[in-house]
């Protein structure tokens, strides 16, 4: 998941900087663009992070280099390194639409990929205090994300029935279908002749989303259980925290997947009458 932030005003660059200072600041930014690299694993990176935190002149210089590249510095710390987000006009921006076009050829599948990313973020940090706690580690599973979205689909279907809006759209016009219909009608797993999971199944789509987040340094895979089990990184927490107030999150929340009360995503307790798979791993919380 890539966050697009408004580019800040260029920070004031201190006078008397040397070419070596510029090189060091640029080096720090280059480390920040390697999402899986952490200061604890690279001595030079760790030293540059310490210099950024201890030397205000150097931190302003590094901020200026990042700004010139269309990057917004979210945090510089030993836990996250230099965590940056790309502004929309940055050469480093990877738009969700670009990702979904690479991941899927059908327009409905592209929509489902966006839905999967929202569900991962909501399950990883289901309460506002989880996003605010720097020590919090979110844990999600591929099967759990799929089960969560399907549970919400059932609730939306019940709501549509109650409102008399549950009428079938034209079968060859999936764009007219409500969000829950698109997801609910898609096979959860499917199978090829050699029993491999279909990439166009909902679990296959969630699997692609989590693989993208792993490659981006946002999730770390901990096991193959439950279709794949993952924990969040500090970088992902910063990205979701920043995304929570952006237009992109507002647009995704408008899909109706996550109940919203005060503008923060939360999860409602499961309906006790619903049967959930044993390994769903859903961290439900009351709002």
């Amino acid at each position: 998941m890539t966050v697009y932030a408004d580019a800040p005003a260029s920070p004031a660059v201190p006078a008397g900087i040397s070419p070596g200072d510029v090189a060091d600041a640029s080096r720090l930014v280059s480390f920040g663009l390697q999402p899986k690299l952490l200061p604890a694993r690279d001595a030079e990176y760790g030293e540059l992070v310490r210099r950024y935190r201890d030397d205000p002149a150097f931190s302003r210089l590094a901020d200026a280099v990042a700004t010139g590249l269309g990057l917004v510095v979210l945090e510089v710390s030993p836990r996250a390194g230099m965590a940056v987000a790309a502004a929309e006009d940055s050469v480093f921006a990877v738009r969700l639409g670009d990702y979904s076009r690479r991941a899927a050829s059908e327009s409905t599948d592209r929509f489902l990929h966006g839905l999967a990313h929202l569900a991962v973020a909501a399950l990883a940090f289901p309460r506002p205090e989880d996003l605010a706690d720097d020590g919090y580690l979110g844990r999600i599973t591929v099967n759990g994300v799929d089960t969560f979205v399907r549970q919400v689909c059932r609730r939306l279907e019940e709501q549509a029935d109650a409102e008399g809006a549950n009428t079938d759209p034209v079968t060859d016009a999936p764009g007219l279908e409500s969000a829950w219909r698109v997801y609910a009608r898609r096979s959860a797993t499917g199978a090829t002749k050699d029993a491999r999971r279909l990439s166009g199944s909902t679990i296959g789509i969630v699997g692609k989303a989590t693989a993208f987040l792993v490659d981006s340094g946002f999730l770390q895979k901990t096991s193959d259980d439950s279709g794949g089990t993952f924990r969040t990184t500090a970088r992902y927490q910063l990205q979701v925290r920043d995304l929570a107030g952006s237009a992109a999150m507002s647009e995704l929340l408008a899909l109706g997947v996550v109940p919203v009360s005060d503008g923060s995503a939360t999860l409602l307790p499961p309906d006790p009458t619903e049967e959930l798979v044993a390994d769903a791993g859903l961290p439900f919380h009351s709002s």
Side-chain angles (χ1 to χ4, degrees):
M1 178 183 294
T2 298
V3 177
Y4 309 122
D6 293 332
S10 299
V13 178
I17 59 173
S18 69
D21 294 329
V22 175
D24 287 345
S26 301
R27 183 69 171 156
L28 176 58
V29 174
S30 74
F31 281 130
L33 290 169
Q34 301 177 58
K36 294 184 179 181
L37 184 63
L38 294 175
R41 299 175 183 172
D42 188 287
E44 182 184 4
Y45 192 7
E47 178 57 36
L48 289 172
V49 167
R50 283 190 290 274
R51 184 178 176 188
Y52 181 98
R53 293 165 65 84
D54 296 339
D55 184 346
F58 180 73
S59 67
R60 290 195 297 272
L61 177 59
D63 288 345
V65 171
T67 298
L69 293 172
L71 300 171
V72 178
V73 179
L74 301 178
E75 179 177 297
V76 179
S77 66
R79 76 179 188 114
M82 175 173 253
V84 295
E88 280 195 81
D89 58 351
S90 172
V91 67
F92 298 104
V94 179
R95 292 169 175 78
L96 186 58
D98 295 336
Y99 152 76
S100 63
R101 279 190 290 274
R102 293 196 301 267
S105 58
E106 297 295 330
S107 59
T108 51
D109 282 9
R110 295 171 194 166
F111 169 80
L112 295 181
H113 277 274
L115 203 59
H117 276 277
L118 172 61
V120 169
L123 285 175
F125 304 102
R127 300 170 299 181
E129 54 264 39
D130 300 332
L131 267 181
D133 182 0
D134 288 346
Y136 181 85
L137 282 178
R139 292 176 173 82
I140 60 101
T141 69
V142 167
N143 291 352
V145 171
D146 183 66
T147 300
F148 164 61
V149 178
R150 288 187 176 277
Q151 184 181 46
V152 174
C153 288
R154 288 194 294 271
R155 291 180 180 172
L156 291 174
E157 182 177 13
E158 293 170 358
Q159 179 180 334
D161 282 335
E163 295 176 353
N166 195 5
T167 57
D168 286 334
V170 180
T171 56
D172 61 352
L176 299 178
E177 294 186 335
S178 298
W180 58 265
R181 290 192 178 108
V182 178
Y183 202 99
R185 290 181 178 180
R186 183 65 58 90
S187 169
T189 56
T192 60
K193 291 183 179 179
D194 57 1
R196 289 178 300 167
R197 186 172 64 196
L198 283 175
S199 62
S201 66
T202 56
I203 285 182
I205 287 172
V206 175
K208 284 184 179 179
T210 54
F212 172 80
L213 292 172
V214 169
D215 289 342
S216 300
F218 296 147
L219 295 179
Q220 293 177 343
K221 189 172 185 179
T222 58
S223 78
D224 292 322
D225 296 341
S226 304
T229 301
F230 306 85
R231 68 180 175 214
T232 60
T233 65
R235 184 179 290 258
Y236 188 48
Q237 185 183 47
L238 290 169
Q239 293 276 16
V240 176
R241 187 185 295 168
D242 192 64
L243 180 64
S246 73
M249 178 62 89
S250 298
E251 183 178 351
L252 289 175
L253 288 176
L255 299 176
V257 177
V258 183
V260 177
S261 54
D262 61 354
S264 303
T266 60
L267 298 181
L268 300 177
D271 186 334
T273 65
E274 294 179 345
E275 294 184 5
L276 302 179
V277 295
D279 59 354
L282 301 178
F284 283 99
H285 299 275
S286 60
S287 57

